[in-house]
Amino acid sequence: RSMPPTHLKKRKRQERALPAAAAEAAPALEALSADATAAESVVESAIASDGRVAKQPKVIIILERACLETGKVGSEHVLLNSDDHHKFLLKHKRLPADYRPDILHQSMLILLDSPLNKAGLLKLYVRSEKGVLIEVSPQIRIPRTFRRFCGLMTQLLFKLSIRASNGPHKLLKVIKNPITDHLPPNCRIAALSYTGKLVRMSDYVKTLPDDSPSVFVVGAMAHGKVEPDYTDELIAISEYPLSAAAVLGRMCAAFESHLGIL
């Protein structure tokens, strides 16, 4: 009786071994997949809607020149910031002082936590330094900690939208430029800058029309000023340079007082 060639014997042994090896590896692969899925959903599962019904906004705020740039540091894609990635930024010949997404985080917390927003009268858009335009739902509960905020923004830039964990609607989504396509027609648009015309905010809001929302553009960057080409006027609300958070706090307080929101 003739014997099968040696290479055929080896092939049969390999074929018998493959299913067994695959069976042994399957639980490990499933565990890795589950860990990856869990890691992706950690941030999103924490972002919930507060369930309020949106109203027609009285105030629309655009945060311009926000620092939202991701980079691959080690094996991870992260939102770059001057504190955690100082050496990485210097290595790639970037100025660390320009990478301040914490300014955007502070600004969003002040706006979204304000009584003006809770009353359903505020609409927020964010536009990054690189031109990415983001629509923010008034119902979102933004992460309190900066680390989780960075995770959320990184996820948004890769997925282009973030859905609520307790509902079907999108709380954050990347939308098409230009911003003027998303604003009401014939609305009054004012940019805020230290170099603008000085006004008292409590008096200024009384001059605004009641039949259409007022739009304000505020810079969310560390240095410089916003000079968009779609604004009607440039105003200053203090004789001193203020942070974005301080400007937004003053604005919200003025509108809340004017509209009788406690």
Side-chain angles (χ1 to χ4, degrees), residues 10-63:
K10 288 183 178 179
R11 183 180 296 176
K12 288 181 179 180
R13 285 198 298 269
Q14 289 173 352
E15 288 174 353
R16 287 196 299 269
L18 281 173
E24 291 177 3
L29 290 173
E30 288 176 3
L32 285 172
S33 176
D35 289 345
T37 304
E40 282 187 3
S41 62
V42 163
V43 175
E44 189 164 358
S45 63
I47 306 303
S49 167
D50 60 13
R52 289 181 289 109
V53 178
K55 300 178 183 177
Q56 182 68 29
K58 285 283 188 182
V59 184
I60 299 174
I61 294 181
I62 304 165
L63 297 178

Side-chain angles (χ1 to χ4, degrees), residues 81-98:
N81 69 82
S82 58
D83 288 335
D84 298 328
H85 311 115
H86 187 88
K87 291 182 179 179
F88 176 86
L89 293 168
L90 290 176
K91 180 181 176 181
H92 289 81
K93 298 181 180 179
R94 310 285 183 87
L95 190 61
D98 292 338

